[in-house]
Amino acid sequence: MRRALRLTGVALLAVWVAAPLLPLLVWAFTGRWVYPALVPQDLSVRAWARAADPHQQVIAATGTSLALALATALVATVLGALAARGLVLYRPPAAGLVRLVLLAPVLVPPFALAVGVQEVFVRAGLADQPAGVALVHLVPALPYTVLVLIGGYAGYDLRMEQTARTLGASRYAVLRHVTLPALAPALLAAATLAFLVSWSEYLMTVLVGGGVVTTLPLLLFATAAGSGNQAFTAVLGVLTFVPPVVLFGTTAAIMRRHRAVWAEADPSAGVSGAGRSAGVPGAGPSDDTPGAGPSAAASGSGSFIAGPRSDPSATAPGSSPSATPPGSSPSTTAPGPSPSNTPGIDR
């Protein structure tokens, strides 16, 4: 019963979201649709052929939008990760004020923000330039990446990195095999949101770009306002909403497919097992940490070293300190590779 209700709810939600897009899809393949007819009198792909014409700037505008969105997603995700790491893990003074400043573009009305940013970019010589438009797209995109990655770092334990460094892993190895796998879902979600914000940005693009930098939303608005060609406008609308839908669906599929892998990929398991290179390949004794082997890594790492460590001096309750198992010498300790047998790491 619950499954049927859940499927019904999902179906109703899908219909609710897709219903406004159905007329757009119909208009994109319509050659003639005169009132009061309920269905098109003629179907045609002339609007799509017009969109493929290089003189219509549709292809160029689509490429510009993709380039700006990808650049914004990359830079905003990196900056958001750095800001979230500092706010969550290191808790600097006035962290609340820093967080408020980072989230200010979401709180301020967009038009007021765009006018202020435009004035600054004009004086800096960045107006009417693709680089300026890419920078201004970071203003509304960065708060979303910071918010998502703050949630990602909320469950992140910095001791995993410290344990890997104790075992001899370089900073690059820690970043690649510890930090990035642990934050992969949050990074993917943040990059997707930044891409979507940049892709659909209109106001800041038209103010800073000055009409010189033409993106797909700008071309769609200009066509809808002045051409009167509903079929061509519908084609531009389809081209505008299809990439975000495809990206969102791909991101959801990747997360659903790798959810179990990310959940089980505990970086601490890679640095356990007496220094073997499971999660941090090549982790061995550190050059700057004398004697950094399995026993050295165990100190200070807490629960991030899997498996109990044998202590020769530990005795069972009620027995004397000199009591040892039959057939073994008092100096016998738990088996495990010595630091000299642990493979090194290329630095």
Side-chain angles (χ1 to χ4, degrees):
M1 183 65 180
R2 291 183 179 179
R3 181 179 178 84
L5 291 177
R6 188 182 301 113
L7 292 177
T8 303
V10 171
L12 291 176
L13 181 61
V15 171
W16 177 265
V17 173
L21 303 177
L22 293 179
L24 196 66
L25 293 173
V26 174
W27 266 112
F29 295 94
T30 297
R32 182 172 175 269
W33 194 358
V34 181
Y35 179 84
L38 296 179
V39 295
Q41 289 93 353
D42 184 21
L43 298 179
S44 175
V45 293
R46 289 194 301 267
W48 291 95
R50 181 180 176 184
D53 187 357
H55 297 288
Q56 297 295 330
Q57 299 182 340
V58 177
I59 298 177
T62 304
T64 302
S65 294
L66 284 174
L68 291 174
L70 290 174
T72 302
L74 177 62
V75 178
T77 303
V78 173
L79 295 180
L82 294 176
R85 182 183 179 90
L87 289 173
V88 176
L89 299 184
Y90 300 103
R91 298 177 182 177
L97 180 60
V98 175
R99 186 175 302 185
L100 179 62
V101 172
L102 290 173
L103 301 181
V106 180
L107 307 177
V108 178
F111 187 77
L113 181 65
V115 171
V117 171
Q118 181 205 21
E119 183 67 22
V120 174
F121 275 53
V122 168
R123 295 179 181 273
L126 293 173
D128 304 341
Q129 301 291 332
V133 176
L135 287 176
V136 80
H137 281 190
L138 289 175
V139 176
L142 188 58
Y144 294 98
T145 59
V146 172
L147 282 175
V148 172
L149 289 167
I150 283 177
Y153 271 107
Y156 185 79
D157 199 326
L158 193 60
R159 289 178 294 178
M160 296 188 296
E161 296 183 6
Q162 297 170 352
T163 303
R165 290 290 291 163
T166 301
L167 290 175
S170 64
R171 294 186 182 274
Y172 173 74
V174 171
L175 175 65
R176 181 180 177 184
H177 299 285
V178 177
T179 307
L180 292 182
L183 296 175
L187 291 171
L188 183 58
T192 302
L193 282 178
F195 182 95
L196 296 177
V197 170
S198 175
W199 177 267
S200 60
E201 184 60 45
Y202 171 79
L203 186 59
M204 289 190 174
T205 304
V206 72
L207 289 178
V208 176
V212 177
V213 181
T214 304
T215 60
L216 202 54
L218 265 66
L219 192 61
L220 172 61
F221 183 82
T223 304
S227 71
N229 190 334
Q230 292 178 312
F232 185 61
T233 304
V235 169
L236 294 179
V238 171
L239 293 177
T240 302
F241 83 76
V242 165
V245 171
V246 172
L247 176 64
F248 188 82
T250 303
T251 302
I254 292 175
M255 286 189 172
R256 183 169 58 252
R257 182 176 180 180
H258 296 279
R259 185 180 302 168
V261 177
W262 284 332
E264 296 175 0
D266 184 5
S268 61
V271 294
S272 61
R276 283 192 290 268
S277 56
V280 184
S286 175
D287 295 338
D288 54 356
T289 307
S295 59
S299 62
S301 60
S303 61
F304 290 94
I305 299 297
R309 296 287 180 175
S310 299
D311 188 357
S313 63
T315 58
S319 60
S320 62
S322 58
T324 57
S328 62
S329 63
S331 61
T332 304
T333 59
S338 63
S340 60
N341 295 331
T342 306
I345 183 170
D346 296 330
R347 294 177 178 266

